[in-house]
Amino acid sequence: MEINGQTVNEVKRYEELGLSPELMKALDKKGYAVATPVQSGAIPFFMDWRDVIAKAPTGTGKTFAFGIPMVEHVDPGQKEVQGLVLAPTRELAIQIQEELRDLCEFKEGVKVVVLYGGAPIEKQIKELKNGPQIVVATPGRLMDHMKRRTVRLDKVETVVLDEADRMLDMGFIRDVTRILDQIKHRKNIGMFSATISREVMDISWVYQRDPAEITVQADIQNKPDIDQFRIEVDRGAKAELMVQLLIHGGYERGIAFCNTKNMTDRLSGLLKMNGIKCEAIHGDIQQSAREKSLSRFREGKFQVLVATDVAARGLDIDDVDVVFNYDVPDENEYYVHRIGRTGRAKRHGVAYTFISGVTEDLRMDQIVKGTRNNVKKLKYAKGTLSEL
């Protein structure tokens, strides 16, 4: 890990970070004792109200890196919004809220509310009237509440942009800047991202003051333990191959990614025809149904979640055994985020990418070169899997 350009290899326990008994009790309940590199790097600066810009791989504990100091700084006696987290997707916003609520479990009086589109705004307005100290929101829905004057941000002290690169890539830069411009009395801003794009740096230059820069490389200590395979397979045999891998691999929980909503639905249907319990989520499915599917998946009610990339960010499920790239992703970054759904929390994971045709083969070559991952080559033909 690098902090302000200096290499730091020190491993810290949470008890060394000067946290309150309430936070330590919450961490103990979750079984956490040692801070991840991004947490040990960011938490001290956040506790001192410093601006932070952090680059760290997916699955390295970024939420607790900003969540712990945000919860520590909150005054339970004040019923105004004091901490704001912006996230690019509804799924990620919901997950952040759940993790922050876990941290608040023993800090009496602290409330966390999540705001996102696709859900009844009246219910969110009612929750805001109860005086939450922390709000997690997607930019578009937060702007809706600001226009309705149903949320006040004049007392916000800490603002965090989580998955900042993705949020700006999705076209939220105007909403983000408008929101930041309304928070006049903020004390610090945190920006957390898997990659630091030019757009992220532009926001940092305008809104941050001498930020602490933290970079966590995907080295042997924090890089997920994932065996990666690319499999040459005829397009018409992809579903058959996936069923065989699920059966013979003994995987209890997997995620399959497709590039389109239509393919997501088709694959879900094919898997069900082959006796695989699965459900699909994508942008055309109602938010309430998507949340229900995600909850059922976490509870182990079905084996495979089939999803578009809308779900690649924000899914924080530690025990996913396997990821299938049923379609080769369009961007190198999508590949990283997809396979990052497995191999979390020091567990071993497996990722398979199905290659059908020259175009997908070339695209996968670019991914391997760009991500520098070790991806083994296999071939599936006539019901047999062999090495190339």
Side-chain angles (χ1 to χ4, degrees):
M1 175 176 65
E2 290 185 359
I3 299 179
N4 296 326
Q6 300 294 316
T7 300
V8 178
N9 294 318
E10 182 183 5
V11 176
K12 293 184 178 180
R13 298 178 65 84
Y14 288 117
E15 61 190 21
E16 300 177 65
L17 297 175
L19 305 182
S20 66
E22 293 83 2
L23 262 292
M24 286 303 303
K25 191 174 180 181
L27 291 167
D28 288 342
K29 183 175 179 179
K30 294 183 72 69
Y32 298 156
V34 179
T36 67
V38 70
Q39 292 165 6
S40 62
I43 288 173
F45 289 108
F46 260 106
M47 293 296 287
D48 289 339
W49 298 103
R50 284 281 304 276
D51 287 345
V52 171
I53 182 168
K55 174 185 174 183
T58 299
T60 51
K62 293 192 284 279
T63 302
F64 276 18
F66 62 77
I68 288 173
M70 182 176 284
V71 172
E72 290 281 45
H73 283 151
V74 160
D75 179 357
Q78 301 296 320
K79 300 305 179 182
E80 295 95 357
V81 181
Q82 300 162 47
L84 173 66
V85 183
L86 295 177
T89 66
R90 292 169 283 196
E91 288 79 13
L92 180 56
I94 292 167
Q95 183 60 44
I96 293 170
Q97 181 208 31
E98 291 173 352
E99 293 196 41
L100 293 182
R101 281 182 169 174
D102 287 345
L103 290 175
C104 295
E105 182 173 356
F106 301 102
K107 193 157 184 178
E108 189 174 348
V110 179
K111 299 174 184 174
V112 185
V113 166
V114 62
L115 310 175
Y116 54 85
I121 198 167
E122 293 77 14
K123 181 181 177 182
Q124 295 175 0
I125 292 172
K126 184 177 180 180
E127 291 178 329
L128 287 168
K129 288 180 178 178
N130 290 330
Q133 292 87 0
I134 298 175
V135 167
V136 184
T138 55
R141 179 47 65 97
L142 182 60
M143 287 292 293
D144 288 344
H145 281 282
M146 292 169 67
K147 290 173 184 175
R148 292 168 179 256
R149 301 182 184 275
T150 51
V151 64
R152 293 185 58 180
L153 304 179
D154 54 308
K155 301 295 184 181
V156 170
E157 297 179 320
T158 297
V159 184
V160 171
L161 276 60
D162 195 17
E163 302 289 10
D165 54 342
R166 178 66 168 163
M167 186 150 47
L168 301 180
D169 286 346
M170 290 172 65
F172 287 125
I173 188 166
R174 182 173 295 181
D175 285 347
V176 168
T177 56
R178 285 178 177 173
I179 291 166
L180 292 176
D181 288 340
Q182 294 299 311
I183 305 175
K184 305 293 186 182
H185 304 294
R186 62 183 182 271
K187 291 185 178 180
N188 64 335
I189 296 178
M191 299 181 65
F192 288 76
S193 195
T195 60
I196 303 298
S197 64
R198 174 59 188 270
E199 290 77 14
V200 172
M201 290 306 303
D202 287 344
I203 295 289
S204 175
W205 290 331
V206 173
Y207 293 97
Q208 291 188 309
R209 301 176 301 278
D210 187 29
E213 299 182 19
I214 298 167
T215 302
V216 178
Q217 302 293 347
D219 59 25
I220 193 65
Q221 291 184 343
N222 57 68
K223 189 172 183 178
D225 178 17
I226 305 170
D227 287 338
Q228 300 172 53
F229 300 92
R230 54 190 288 181
I231 305 177
E232 289 186 12
V233 55
D234 289 340
R235 193 170 302 278
K238 280 186 175 183
E240 172 190 309
L241 169 59
M242 186 171 165
V243 170
Q244 292 301 314
L245 290 170
L246 285 167
I247 293 173
H248 296 296
Y251 305 117
E252 295 182 2
R253 190 176 316 206
I255 302 177
F257 286 104
C258 303
N259 289 347
T260 66
K261 301 168 188 175
N262 181 54
M263 183 56 73
T264 302
D265 289 331
R266 287 179 58 192
L267 176 57
S268 178
L270 289 170
L271 292 176
K272 288 176 182 176
M273 288 173 58
N274 283 275
I276 303 295
K277 291 184 178 180
C278 67
E279 292 184 15
I281 60 170
H282 54 67
D284 285 348
I285 295 175
Q286 284 191 346
Q287 180 62 25
S288 58
R290 289 162 64 181
E291 290 174 23
K292 185 176 181 180
S293 290
L294 290 174
S295 178
R296 284 170 49 79
F297 185 60
R298 290 189 180 96
E299 294 168 2
K301 298 293 180 60
F302 58 92
Q303 186 178 7
V304 179
L305 180 71
V306 187
T308 54
D309 284 294
V310 70
R313 303 253 185 168
L315 282 179
D316 193 9
I317 303 166
D318 288 340
D319 51 355
V320 173
D321 304 308
V322 60
V323 165
F324 298 95
N325 289 311
Y326 196 79
D327 295 324
V328 179
D330 295 326
E331 303 288 342
N332 294 8
E333 195 176 325
Y334 292 172
Y335 179 82
V336 173
H337 286 295
R338 286 182 181 188
I339 70 169
R341 300 308 98 200
T342 187
R344 299 171 75 88
K346 304 298 183 182
R347 292 180 173 88
H348 176 72
V350 183
Y352 298 103
T353 302
F354 297 167
I355 310 293
S356 298
V358 176
T359 301
E360 290 188 347
D361 194 44
L362 292 174
R363 174 84 275 276
M364 192 62 195
D365 285 342
Q366 294 172 343
I367 290 172
V368 172
K369 183 178 180 180
T371 62
R372 298 181 181 180
N373 283 322
N374 179 25
V375 184
K376 301 173 185 177
K377 291 186 176 182
L378 302 174
K379 184 173 183 177
Y380 182 77
K382 297 180 180 180
T384 302
L385 198 61
S386 58
E387 292 187 17
L388 285 176

